[in-house]
Amino acid sequence: GAVVSQHPSWVICKSGTSVKIECRSLDFQATTMFWYRQFPKQSLMLMATSNEGSKATYEQGVEKDKFLINHASLTLSTLTVTSAHPEDSSFYICSAKGTVDPYEQYFGPGTRLTVT
Amino acid sequence: ELKVEQNPLFLSMQEGKNYTIYCNYSTTSDRLYWYRQDPGKSLESLFVLLSNGAVKQEGRLMASLDTKARLSTLHITAAVHDLSATYFCAVDSSNSGYALNFGKGTSLLVTP
């Protein structure tokens, strides 16, 4: 149980285009979802926290107009990278908290974005 | 700001040896987590430590938590090659909506 999926698992896009990443909780309701970014050989950095039906809360230094987060249902959150640039190339990982275990965050498999 | 420091950042050890990874955090936290990450993969949950004095063991890994010292340890016993990975500790707090603050990670290489 407590499975989180992400789609796509990897994506290559051209500079200036937008790309959407989906994060789904498959077998539980995710009241809160988190989006993290991980550059090569670095740690995970929180980008934003989203609660179902509310606007996302972005971390300092993360442009909310560039990284659009929508958490429209209890099983789906999306991250749209708008006008992507090569420096946005990274590993994006979502996690979800729900009613399964209040202490646990369940991580998705990650999405590797390469902007050319 | 909640800071999490791990050491060492890199660790090369021989099979069969024991070693400990340390995780210090700067302020009161609700919970301490340990994760494993293999190259190109996402995180695998190892342990969730909820209270002072908590100790959990799974196979060759044992984690402990001292909330007074704000210190957690991940002890590796009789290392095997399959344990080669990057290990992260993380803490959460109600101040951050329970988002995780990660340490920089410890890259572990177990050699024959």
Side-chain angles (χ1 to χ4, degrees), chain B residues 4-109:
Chain B
V4 182
E5 293 186 354
Q6 275 181 251
N7 71 83
L9 299 182
F10 300 96
L11 176 57
S12 179
M13 57 189 298
Q14 285 185 314
E15 284 188 326
K17 299 293 186 181
N18 305 329
Y19 207 83
T20 300
I21 300 171
Y22 297 89
C23 176
N24 288 92
Y25 53 97
S26 60
T27 62
T28 301
S29 176
D30 296 315
R31 284 164 290 279
L32 192 292
Y33 302 77
W34 284 98
Y35 294 94
R36 167 181 172 145
Q37 186 178 38
D38 291 296
K41 303 293 186 181
S42 188
L43 300 183
E44 173 190 352
S45 179
L46 297 175
F47 302 107
V48 181
L49 302 171
L50 302 177
S51 60
N52 187 43
V55 177
K56 290 192 174 181
Q57 183 165 4
E58 182 71 34
R60 301 176 187 274
L61 301 178
M62 182 174 69
S64 66
L65 177 63
D66 181 343
T67 57
K68 294 181 180 178
R70 295 175 184 165
L71 170 68
S72 179
T73 61
L74 180 66
H75 187 72
I76 303 160
T77 302
V80 293
H81 178 70
D82 286 351
L83 289 179
S84 297
T86 299
Y87 294 84
F88 291 96
C89 67
V91 296
D92 69 4
S93 75
S94 56
N95 293 336
S96 64
Y98 298 102
L100 293 175
N101 292 270
F102 286 86
K104 290 186 175 181
T106 296
S107 180
L108 171 65
L109 177 63

Side-chain angles (χ1 to χ4, degrees), chain A residues 1 3 16 20 37 41 43-44 71 83-85 94 107 110:
Chain A
V3 177
K20 180 185 286 188
R37 179 167 55 183
K41 300 201 180 295
S43 188
L44 281 77
H71 191 165
S83 186
H85 290 286
C94 72
F107 283 85

